[in-house]
Amino acid sequence: MLSGFFIFNQKGEILISRLYRHDIKRSAADIFRIHVITSPDIRSPIVTLGPTTFYHTRHENLYLVAATRGNANAALVFEALYRVSELGTSYFGRFDEESVKNNFTLIYELMDEILDFGYPQNMDPDALKLYITTEEVKSDRAIKDSSSRITMQATGAISWRRPDIKYRKNEAFIDVIESVNLLMSTKGTVLRADVSGQIIMRAYLSGTPECKFGLNDRLLVEKEPGAGSGGVRQSSSGSNSANPPSGDTVEIADCKFHQCVRLGKFDSERTISFIPPDGEFDLMHYRTTENVNLPFRVQPVVTEASRSRIEYQIQVKANFSNKLYASNVTIRIPTPLNTASATIRVSVGRAKYVPAENCIVWKVQRFQGMSENNLVAEADLTSMTVQRRWSRPPISLDFHVLMFTSSGLLVRFLKVFEKSNYQSVKWVRYMTKAGSYQIRVS
Amino acid sequence: MSSSVASQISSIGQVVRSHIVNVLRKGENFELRSELNSEYRDRRKEAVKRVIANMTVGKDVSGLFTDVLKNMHTDDLEIKKLIYLYLINYAKTKPELVILAINTFVKDTDDNNPLIRALAIRTMGCLRVSEIIDYLCDPLRKCLKDESPYVRKTAAICVAKLYDVAPAVTIENGFVEAVQDLLSDANPMVISNAVTALVEINDNSPNQDVFTMTPPLVNKLLAALNECTEWGQITILETVANYIPGSTREAEGVCERVVPRLQHVNGSVVLSAIKMEAQLSRKMTPPMVTLLSSAPEVQYVALRNINLILQKRPDILNREMRVFFCKYNDPLYVKYEKLDIMVRLCNDRNYDHLLAELKEYANEVDVDFVRKAIKAIGYCAIKIPVAAEKCINILLDLLATRVNYVVQETIVVIKDIFRKYPNKYEGTIPTLCKSLEVIDEPDTKASFIWIIGEYAPRIENADEILETFMDNFKYDDPAVQLQLITAVVKLFLHRPADCQDLVLRILKVATEECDCPDTRDRAYIYWRILSTDPQAANTIVLADKPTISVDDSTGLPDDLLNELLSELSTLAAVYHKPARMFVATGTKSAVLSASALASRSQSGAGSTSPNTGTADTGAGLATMSSPSPSSAPPPSSGQVDNEDLLIAL
């Protein structure tokens, strides 16, 4: 288990150092600094130096470092480190050198709370925020009464929700956000395409609501054929495209849930039921690999016309309904390191050569569905004394398409049951954005 | 008028400055001490913060012990926590002064606020001073039975802390039994912390009989699984994984209840669950693939573990090779692991895709990665005979790029293919010769010379080519020298008339001017054989070489593999080494001993065998004449390079 936890800045100065066990010394931090931060050829996130093993992740300009002795659970250590970054971001907005320096006493408080004797305890920001706050807490009477309740909650079965939440208007918002990943070969064949989706829920519901959530998941729909057509489809009062034709289903390769979802129930009945935390949370992550609708097709032609000139012809086609459009489309077309200038013509949007990034950046604010646009460019190269190789990085795309899911996933229903039997309003939004959307060029 | 004001201001400035200098001279601790004793609450608080800040950066502030302690009795929780932190750090250096703090601690364990009770018991457990222990027992006993689960779960861990310092006291006071009772607690977090504490105590106890799993207990733990925090789930999964079920039915029952965990968002929970699925069911594949979309560090851990699982169950991912294709911006350590796994998954149905990918990688810029990719191409050629032709073509394309390091590695790989498929691809030799002037690394040189020597009868200008290496012969690496001598002797045996002069010259230089004893030795042997019995020289030097091969057993030995599989997601499974190899008991080595690992990995790879153990001297010599045996078959590459990476860690 974790023997120590450290935060360093980029220069290797130590910002936080907390030891949990007595098998390492404070000076262990120096060993890490010397062997990892100041050494350029460390490539692995796990390093064993002498008897101590160091694990590090980077966040903004910080190194988050855990040290262990013995044969520790590496995956657990990394998950704990990520959780620290999440906590930091959740508490300070931005978790960087400045916020660490400004809040170091609070961070020490957190470190004392989330790990005991090196074993992770409760790391859930919502639970922690109940009793570790940025404001000064005095152990006065009011706190005394509430703190026993807080601790019950922090350790209890539903640690993520207070029992006494009240809203005048009961609402739930569901955002389905999909990142579509593509790796396309130089020949234009799809090497891999998958969608990692995320369902974010913002629940503003009173009391202890019991929610049931349904998707057009193939396994589920096949299991209960009548469910899709019943009158339960009360969701999406705000959106029109959330009504799926019942034959259209999605095969989810794998999914992961927020801790509030009853995993046992999902495994046996494939229903998603839960008592939501208050406010915003990640209900579910999923991944699909079958039938991915790629929103954009890119056909690049890159020719080295001569030693000092490269010609680009890039054709981009939007593959979704013409009623929709993609916003903030950014296409990065890498150029060789010795590019001096580039002349570019585009059919829509703006494009310019950005020397700092070694690429031509083509931006289109609004890219209509089913439309097709082109970029024609010539890059002039300066001659170099040493011929360095250009690795031809892939063209990458960034975009957002609203009301479109690459996987075809749709929300079928969200039912809310509560003792007081109130009416609740539910809203659904869909968005597809680019994950790592790369097209290799030959 | 105004000038006099100015001079006054400047003189005030001087006074202030001299004051600052004074403070600096007396040291920061002096100033802090006066601040800590200040009558103003805010200044005292600020001072405590500064003390902690100094402690963080490693300055010694232990001298302020009593002054800090004076501030301990406060209502301000923030200050209290900071002072406790200070105490944890310096208690050991001032055990006699810690007594002063005990009063406050004991009082805090009676506080109305459970947060404060827990804080006190948590901190007391960390002090590790014998003076504290006597005072700890009573409050601890009380806290183990506290009404608040928050305090109970903290007390459970505290028992483990106490056992670490004073095992006898812990047992005498019956704390271990008390924690065992907590296993039946109503609160899931208390249960998981009790498990944690018991496992820790069990591992450190002499008889290891503190915590034994029984079917009812397993049931109880699995029931708690659903309500635990993610960390509690890991603890329980890890613990239950060590339980050996009495019957197949029971085992199936356990697995059945663990399967839902594969859907958890925490990668570590997923890995623990995968570990539990001892029979490695098909259901694991999707979660394993999903782990690849997590953050790079967990991805790395997952990849190393997948590598292990694949060695046991090679079929489990054979349709999923594409998910391991490297993205351009993957960190290098992830790319290496992916490459390794792809090579493992390669078979005669999917080699086409793999080779296209590898070719792509060979055009990237990172030298090590490119080299690894090229090695992988060679591995494919040797593993899958139908792929050999295609591999050779890709390698020839790579040679045409004339990029230095690509050419170096490619030639070494081509040499291996020549060894595997003798007399099949010699048509490529003219193309190889075009790269002659680029070749500069010893390994590459040796490989190239070996090819020339081996195919000497079919290369018209072999003598000229070998001649070009003569100029630098004296200064070359011994491996190159040995190769060149052998190649020249081979050439001589084929064409005695043309090469008499060359062979004499090289043997003369080798025996008289070279420093390396091996080189001299070999030159002498050849010289004597040639001068006494040229026929014998023919049978020895031109003997048939055993072919190299890769079999799927390239990997860890079975017993080690099983051991590591039972430790999935731990460091041992990441390093592919048993824990005893890096959990140093003493301080033997500062950094993981590089040579020890490298040698292990080679013996572990088990693919170098063709070059060892050939008994008679003739064959022995012949194998010696093949390019440096240990580097010959690239299959070891996957393994060895991992270790290289490991050492670089």
Side-chain angles (χ1 to χ4, degrees), chain A residues 21-22 26 43-44 48 50 72 74 79 82-83 108 113 116 119 121 191 254-256 287 389 440, chain B residues 56 89 113 128 150 161 193 200 230-231 263 267 290 297 322 333 357 403 569 571-572 575 590 649:
Chain A
R21 292 178 159 246
H22 290 254
R26 211 153 274 272
R43 287 174 152 174
S44 164
T48 299
E79 288 289 348
Y82 298 144
R83 218 46 56 89
Y108 273 125
E113 193 58 48
D116 191 5
Y119 293 105
Q121 304 292 309
L191 291 178
D254 189 30
C255 46
K256 292 173 169 187
R287 190 170 55 82
R389 236 154 56 88
R440 290 179 178 162
Chain B
T56 302
N89 227 345
N113 186 340
R128 300 173 68 89
Y150 183 79
K161 292 177 185 168
N193 269 9
E200 162 119 16
E230 45 198 333
W231 315 108
Q263 245 79 51
T290 305
E297 291 88 2
R322 279 162 185 247
Y333 55 83
E357 264 317 279
V403 177
S569 95
L571 263 188
Y575 283 159
L649 302 176

Side-chain angles (χ1 to χ4, degrees), chain A residues 413-431:
Chain A
F413 59 83
L414 170 68
K415 298 179 211 167
V416 179
F417 306 100
E418 219 274 334
K419 284 196 295 277
S420 58
N421 225 349
Y422 52 72
Q423 283 297 311
S424 52
V425 188
K426 299 119 192 164
W427 306 82
V428 188
R429 270 196 309 188
Y430 299 92
M431 182 172 81

Side-chain angles (χ1 to χ4, degrees), chain A residues 14-19 21-22 26 35 41-51 53 55-58 68 70-76 78-80 82-83 104-106 108-109 112-113 116-117 119-123 131-132 136-139 143-144 147-148 151-152 154-157 181 183 186 190-192 253-257 259 263-264 266-267 285 287 389-391 393-394 436 438 440-441, chain B residues 45 49 52-53 55-57 75 77-78 81-82 85 88-89 112-116 119 122 126 128 148-150 153-154 157 160-161 187 189 193 196 200 227 230-231 234 238 259-261 263-268 271 286-287 289-290 295 297-298 300-301 322-323 325-329 332-333 336 357 360-366 368 403 405 567 569-572 574-575 579 582-583 589-590 648-649:
Chain A
I14 187 158
L15 304 177
I16 295 288
S17 125
R18 173 73 211 253
L19 305 185
R21 292 178 159 246
H22 290 254
R26 211 153 274 272
H35 283 96
D41 39 60
I42 289 288
R43 287 174 152 174
S44 164
I46 305 182
V47 193
T48 299
L49 300 163
T53 305
Y55 312 73
H56 72 273
T57 62
R58 306 288 308 267
T68 67
N71 190 16
N73 184 336
L76 175 135
F78 280 122
E79 288 289 348
Y82 298 144
R83 218 46 56 89
F104 83 97
T105 53
L106 181 68
Y108 273 125
E109 262 185 72
D112 194 44
E113 193 58 48
D116 191 5
F117 207 34
Y119 293 105
Q121 304 292 309
N122 199 340
M123 289 201 179
Y131 56 103
I132 296 183
E136 221 159 278
V137 182
K138 306 258 164 36
S139 47
I143 296 290
K144 265 175 207 156
S147 56
S148 57
T151 54
M152 280 303 276
T155 56
N181 300 308
L183 188 59
T186 51
V190 176
L191 291 178
R192 58 180 285 211
D254 189 30
C255 46
K256 292 173 169 187
F257 295 103
Q259 55 167 335
L263 295 178
F266 179 75
D267 195 56
H285 289 253
R287 190 170 55 82
R389 236 154 56 88
W390 180 42
S391 67
S436 126
Q438 299 182 335
R440 290 179 178 162
V441 286
Chain B
K45 185 169 178 175
K49 282 187 184 173
I52 299 297
M55 190 179 86
T56 302
V57 296
D75 283 345
L77 209 55
E78 193 183 357
K81 284 182 179 169
L82 288 180
L85 190 66
I88 293 171
N89 227 345
N112 277 335
N113 186 340
L115 287 172
I116 293 187
L119 178 65
R122 187 165 63 218
C126 292
R128 300 173 68 89
S148 163
Y150 183 79
K153 69 123 184 152
T154 314
I157 295 279
K161 292 177 185 168
N187 187 294
M189 199 155 171
N193 269 9
T196 306
E200 162 119 16
E227 299 182 333
E230 45 198 333
W231 315 108
I234 297 170
E238 297 276 306
V259 162
R261 299 301 124 193
Q263 245 79 51
H264 202 280
V265 71
N266 185 320
S268 184
L271 270 176
V289 173
T290 305
E297 291 88 2
V298 166
Y300 171 72
V301 174
R322 279 162 185 247
V323 301
F325 286 179
C326 299
K327 289 183 200 142
Y328 185 73
N329 35 7
L332 272 175
Y333 55 83
Y336 285 173
E357 264 317 279
E360 203 66 47
Y361 302 157
N363 283 317
E364 289 199 13
V365 275
D366 182 81
D368 290 340
V403 177
Y405 52 85
E567 292 179 339
S569 95
T570 65
L571 263 188
V574 172
Y575 283 159
F582 56 88
V583 178
S589 55
L649 302 176

Side-chain angles (χ1 to χ4, degrees), chain B residues 123-144:
Chain B
T123 315
M124 277 175 97
C126 292
L127 292 182
R128 300 173 68 89
V129 178
S130 55
E131 283 82 350
I132 285 280
I133 290 167
D134 304 332
Y135 294 91
L136 176 62
C137 292
D138 287 334
L140 181 57
R141 193 168 300 121
K142 215 165 45 195
C143 285
L144 281 167

Side-chain angles (χ1 to χ4, degrees), chain A residues 26-132:
Chain A
R26 211 153 274 272
S27 54
D30 300 325
I31 300 174
F32 178 79
R33 185 184 58 237
I34 293 163
H35 283 96
V36 180
I37 299 183
T38 54
S39 154
D41 39 60
I42 289 288
R43 287 174 152 174
S44 164
I46 305 182
V47 193
T48 299
L49 300 163
T52 316
T53 305
F54 296 93
Y55 312 73
H56 72 273
T57 62
R58 306 288 308 267
H59 186 91
E60 303 262 354
N61 49 7
L62 300 172
Y63 283 87
L64 306 180
V65 183
T68 67
R69 282 289 189 108
N71 190 16
N73 184 336
L76 175 135
V77 174
F78 280 122
E79 288 289 348
L81 287 178
Y82 298 144
R83 218 46 56 89
V84 172
S85 325
E86 276 167 34
L87 265 178
T89 320
S90 161
Y91 263 90
F92 313 124
R94 236 183 118 132
F95 192 46
D96 56 7
E97 186 178 347
E98 204 191 332
S99 65
V100 171
K101 279 183 169 164
N102 292 339
N103 297 291
F104 83 97
T105 53
L106 181 68
I107 292 176
Y108 273 125
E109 262 185 72
L110 284 172
M111 295 319 298
D112 194 44
E113 193 58 48
I114 58 178
L115 289 157
D116 191 5
F117 207 34
Y119 293 105
Q121 304 292 309
N122 199 340
M123 289 201 179
D124 187 49
D126 297 323
L128 286 168
K129 275 180 177 168
L130 293 174
Y131 56 103
I132 296 183

Side-chain angles (χ1 to χ4, degrees), chain B residues 445-575:
Chain B
K445 267 191 187 174
S447 303
F448 186 77
I449 295 170
W450 179 82
I451 293 172
I452 300 295
E454 192 63 21
Y455 293 90
R458 271 166 274 182
I459 305 169
E460 261 175 44
N461 59 344
D463 49 338
E464 285 168 36
I465 297 172
L466 292 179
E467 184 80 49
T468 57
F469 288 99
M470 276 302 290
D471 303 339
N472 204 28
F473 176 68
K474 265 190 290 182
Y475 313 104
D476 259 327
D477 193 272
V480 180
Q481 292 176 341
L482 291 176
Q483 275 320 315
L484 191 56
I485 296 175
T486 310
V488 169
V489 171
K490 278 183 194 163
L491 179 64
F492 171 73
L493 289 172
H494 288 300
R495 298 199 301 219
D498 311 345
C499 309
Q500 192 140 22
D501 170 51
L502 183 66
V503 94
L504 273 177
R505 217 167 65 214
I506 192 169
L507 291 177
K508 203 163 151 54
V509 176
T511 48
E512 287 172 8
E513 293 178 50
C514 283
D515 296 334
C516 173
D518 284 348
T519 312
R520 288 209 302 270
D521 260 5
R522 189 175 292 187
Y524 277 127
I525 292 171
Y526 283 149
W527 207 332
R528 278 171 202 151
I529 295 178
L530 287 176
S531 51
T532 50
D533 188 355
Q535 205 49 46
N538 248 325
T539 51
I540 292 171
V541 181
L542 301 179
D544 282 337
K545 275 153 287 296
T547 49
I548 53 170
S549 66
V550 216
D551 46 80
D552 279 329
S553 66
T554 51
L556 303 162
D558 264 355
D559 46 344
L560 177 62
L561 184 60
N562 287 333
E563 184 187 335
L564 294 179
L565 280 172
S566 73
E567 292 179 339
L568 276 192
S569 95
T570 65
L571 263 188
V574 172
Y575 283 159

Side-chain angles (χ1 to χ4, degrees), chain B residues 43-243:
Chain B
R43 290 179 71 173
R44 290 204 303 268
K45 185 169 178 175
E46 237 7 82
V48 173
K49 282 187 184 173
R50 273 173 59 198
V51 169
I52 299 297
N54 280 346
M55 190 179 86
T56 302
V57 296
K59 285 183 193 158
D60 183 19
V61 282
S62 62
L64 300 167
F65 203 88
T66 37
D67 304 282
V68 174
L69 233 54
K70 276 179 203 160
N71 291 292
M72 190 171 161
H73 193 71
T74 169
D75 283 345
D76 189 334
L77 209 55
E78 193 183 357
I79 290 280
K80 194 173 261 234
K81 284 182 179 169
L82 288 180
I83 294 175
Y84 282 0
L85 190 66
Y86 178 91
L87 269 175
I88 293 171
N89 227 345
Y90 290 115
K92 267 210 139 155
T93 57
K94 312 258 172 176
E96 69 286 354
L97 294 175
V98 174
I99 291 290
L100 299 174
I102 283 175
N103 227 338
T104 321
F105 274 126
V106 174
K107 227 168 96 199
D108 275 359
T109 57
D110 265 333
D111 200 285
N112 277 335
N113 186 340
L115 287 172
I116 293 187
R117 291 202 297 275
L119 178 65
I121 205 78
R122 187 165 63 218
T123 315
M124 277 175 97
C126 292
L127 292 182
R128 300 173 68 89
V129 178
S130 55
E131 283 82 350
I132 285 280
I133 290 167
D134 304 332
Y135 294 91
L136 176 62
C137 292
D138 287 334
L140 181 57
R141 193 168 300 121
K142 215 165 45 195
C143 285
L144 281 167
K145 299 227 164 7
D146 199 285
E147 51 168 26
S148 163
Y150 183 79
V151 180
R152 288 201 301 275
K153 69 123 184 152
T154 314
I157 295 279
C158 186
V159 173
K161 292 177 185 168
L162 182 64
Y163 188 88
D164 200 30
V165 209
V169 176
T170 318
I171 293 166
E172 274 165 31
N173 281 286
F175 286 139
V176 177
E177 286 80 23
V179 178
Q180 279 163 346
D181 289 346
L182 287 183
L183 288 175
S184 319
D185 203 284
N187 187 294
M189 199 155 171
V190 177
I191 297 178
S192 75
N193 269 9
V195 173
T196 306
L198 286 173
V199 169
E200 162 119 16
I201 293 172
N202 191 44
D203 287 349
N204 295 330
S205 69
N207 303 327
Q208 312 217 324
D209 55 357
V210 176
F211 189 50
T212 40
M213 299 289 274
T214 54
L217 180 60
V218 170
N219 261 330
K220 211 163 18 180
L221 292 183
L222 287 175
L225 196 58
N226 287 324
E227 299 182 333
C228 271
T229 62
E230 45 198 333
W231 315 108
Q233 294 184 14
I234 297 170
T235 313
I236 291 179
L237 289 174
E238 297 276 306
T239 315
V240 177
N242 291 330
Y243 168 69

